[in-house]
Amino acid sequence: MLRNRYPSKLAPMATTLLLLVLILAPFPSVSPFSPVDYDLINCGLRAGDVVDADHRVFTGDGSRFPSSTRTVQLESTDSRLASASPLYSTARAFHYPTYYAFPIRDRGQHHLVRLHFHPVQNDYYNSYEAEFHVVANGFLLLRNFRIRKGDTFPLIKEFVIPIASEKLEIALMPSGKSNFGFVNAIEVISAPADLIADVAQFIDVDKNERIDGLLKSGFETLYRVNVGGFKVTPFNDSLWRTWATDDQYLATSQGSEKINFGGRIKYRLGGSTREVGPDNVYNSARLIRSSNGSVPSVNLTWSFEVEKGYRHMVRMHFCDIASMAAGMIYFNVYLNGNLACANLDLSHMTNRLLASPYYADFVTDDMSSGKLLVSVGPSNISLPLAVDAILNGIEIWRLNNSMSSFDGEVCAEFAWRSWRTEHRSGGFLSLVAAMLLLLSVSVYFQWRRTSSAGWSRLPVDISEVSLKSGSQFSSIKT
């Protein structure tokens, strides 16, 4: 029979090939992320490019602003800043509404918009006195924004907004008592399609239900935390993100331990990708174990300050890098003390693969305390002497409100109206002052002309002798 022609040679080879297919099939090859839209602008740079600390090339914005526009190129007089961080040694200052327009090819997708701020030491401009609004395609990103001396610099404001038009127009305008604003750098990067999912689980005191429509929303990044690991810099993230350490956010850490994994993170088709979370987030974690076979550990909790009046989305990153075998971790997930997920089985979510990433999105608007609590803890079916809970990363975004704003119960048009009002009132007062001055001058000269036109008629009872002999009335003329 044909199937038995070359059994001794082909059988071992076929077996080897089959084993290779089985081993490699769950872990597809991953090519580096290449965004369709990728604009990095160094504001205020006269010419050429600047390479930042993460080896990215930022192009100067000089060609975007002809000399006739009312913007100013700022250059720091601090040589130490220029040598340590050339990206922040320049800035673009503006006294009137200023626009940056970016052509969009990847339409219908969310885009990352990052605004960089760093005080520029300059003899004529004090960066701490600047106050301004920022609007992007109908979204109010920042309102009456100003940097403060207590901020950690560089200060980077990151937004993820949907863009359906052919261009993204970012407008910046002075506000309040300030007559100028500034910006050091701008990034516009098309996000991968799987970065934002349309559905999430809505968690409240009395609700735990699925919601959809998130692809229509914009997001402001508030926190991005590498749980149990070290700080991840943009150089080690395919979307050039920064992941902070979790120590400062830990509210309860009793019995917790950090763990690091030196093996391969197994990304799956249809699962989390490196653009959702990099290896350096999934190969470290913080976990809790039972103190003995019968006493479960307490919940592990992180606390984050948030602003009331908004919905927030929490993304929790999981990767079982602690178990010796599949099916050994079962735990609960809580948001503000409300049960978000019971008896989470990571093995079930990852097709029984260890060291395979999984993430879950939760939305909540329960912010009465001004804090958002994220917790993981043991469930009723946690196994004795096993890991009771594990977490690798946390991301928190603020969703735009019904007015497409991330900064107050006002819309983008409010920023335009406020600037026009402030600008118009300032111009009106100047015009009134000028008119009053002209009127005063006119009255003065009219009075002078009238008083010097001729002598007044003298009283009839003054004698001719008196008129001839005295000059007492000569002083009437001015």
Side-chain angles (χ1 to χ4, degrees), residues 241-256:
R241 296 165 294 195
T242 297
W243 300 73
T245 60
D246 71 325
D247 301 86
Q248 61 180 312
Y249 305 110
L250 275 171
T252 60
S253 58
Q254 181 181 358
S256 72

Side-chain angles (χ1 to χ4, degrees), residues 324-383:
M324 300 298 295
M328 297 188 66
I329 296 183
Y330 301 90
F331 58 97
N332 295 338
V333 177
Y334 304 88
L335 222 57
N336 287 336
N338 303 311
L339 183 62
C341 182
N343 305 322
L344 177 59
D345 178 6
L346 293 182
S347 295
H348 175 72
M349 299 298 180
T350 61
N351 297 324
R352 301 190 68 78
L353 286 174
L354 296 177
S356 184
Y358 166 74
Y359 73 91
D361 289 341
F362 305 99
V363 173
T364 182
D365 58 8
D366 179 20
M367 302 299 165
S368 56
S369 66
K371 293 185 180 296
L372 200 161
L373 303 179
V374 178
S375 306
V376 293
S379 76
N380 293 330
I381 60 173
S382 294
L383 300 178

Side-chain angles (χ1 to χ4, degrees), residues 2-70:
L2 289 177
R3 62 181 178 180
N4 293 326
R5 266 182 89 176
Y6 309 106
S8 60
K9 295 182 178 180
L10 292 183
M13 183 180 297
T15 302
T16 302
L17 289 174
L18 179 60
L19 287 174
L20 286 173
V21 169
L22 291 174
I23 293 173
L24 296 177
F27 322 125
S29 60
V30 180
S31 58
F33 174 62
S34 180
V36 177
D37 299 313
Y38 185 69
D39 290 292
L40 307 181
I41 304 298
N42 183 17
C43 305
L45 183 66
R46 296 184 181 276
D49 300 327
V50 161
V51 179
D52 73 348
D54 300 301
H55 310 293
R56 293 187 297 162
V57 178
F58 283 72
T59 303
D61 70 344
S63 61
R64 295 172 179 261
F65 297 97
S67 58
S68 60
T69 61
R70 297 171 176 177

Side-chain angles (χ1 to χ4, degrees), residues 458-474:
L458 293 174
V460 294
D461 59 345
I462 299 179
S463 65
E464 185 178 354
V465 176
S466 300
L467 180 62
K468 291 180 179 180
S469 62
S471 59
Q472 55 183 323
F473 297 105
S474 63

Side-chain angles (χ1 to χ4, degrees), residues 70-291:
R70 297 171 176 177
T71 66
V72 180
Q73 292 170 307
L74 299 183
E75 294 184 358
S76 176
T77 57
D78 188 349
S79 58
R80 295 171 299 176
L81 177 62
S83 59
S85 181
L87 183 63
Y88 303 114
S89 64
T90 63
R92 175 74 59 177
F94 48 89
H95 296 275
Y96 295 86
T98 299
Y99 308 88
Y100 283 89
F102 300 88
I104 299 298
R105 292 179 296 162
D106 196 9
R107 297 164 200 156
Q109 295 291 335
H110 279 74
H111 282 63
L112 292 161
V113 176
R114 297 189 182 111
L115 306 171
H116 295 244
F117 302 101
H118 194 295
V120 175
Q121 183 174 322
N122 187 275
D123 295 335
Y124 303 100
Y125 287 85
N126 184 350
S127 302
Y128 296 104
E129 294 179 354
E131 184 176 313
F132 50 96
H133 309 304
V134 181
V135 173
N137 279 27
F139 287 94
L140 179 58
L141 306 185
L142 300 172
R143 180 172 66 99
N144 297 328
F145 175 76
R146 63 190 309 158
I147 63 171
R148 293 173 173 79
K149 293 185 178 180
D151 291 334
T152 301
F153 298 109
L155 182 61
I156 302 175
K157 291 292 195 177
E158 181 187 276
F159 302 86
V160 188
I161 59 176
I163 302 177
S165 59
E166 296 180 350
K167 69 176 180 178
L168 168 65
E169 187 173 81
I170 299 176
L172 308 96
M173 65 202 79
S175 66
K177 297 180 180 179
S178 171
N179 65 348
F180 82 101
F182 78 98
V183 61
N184 300 84
I186 301 175
E187 300 178 50
V188 176
I189 304 171
S190 53
D194 61 346
L195 182 66
I196 301 295
D198 192 50
V199 299
Q201 202 71 11
F202 180 74
I203 308 299
D204 208 338
V205 176
D206 55 355
K207 290 183 180 179
N208 189 329
E209 59 189 17
R210 174 185 166 125
I211 60 172
D212 55 20
L214 294 178
L215 288 178
K216 300 177 183 178
S217 299
F219 303 80
E220 179 185 359
T221 305
L222 301 182
Y223 300 96
R224 185 172 284 128
V225 177
N226 184 19
V227 175
F230 52 83
K231 179 180 178 180
V232 179
T233 63
F235 182 73
N236 295 301
D237 185 289
S238 59
L239 286 183
W240 305 280
R241 296 165 294 195
T242 297
W243 300 73
T245 60
D246 71 325
D247 301 86
Q248 61 180 312
Y249 305 110
L250 275 171
T252 60
S253 58
Q254 181 181 358
S256 72
E257 61 181 275
K258 297 180 180 180
I259 184 172
N260 291 284
F261 178 68
R264 178 185 178 186
I265 300 300
K266 303 167 187 174
Y267 293 91
R268 296 167 293 107
L269 287 173
S272 181
T273 64
R274 284 187 173 87
E275 282 65 61
V276 172
D279 289 37
N280 287 330
V281 168
Y282 290 123
N283 62 21
S284 62
R286 193 181 290 270
L287 55 84
I288 49 178
R289 304 177 189 268
S290 301
S291 57

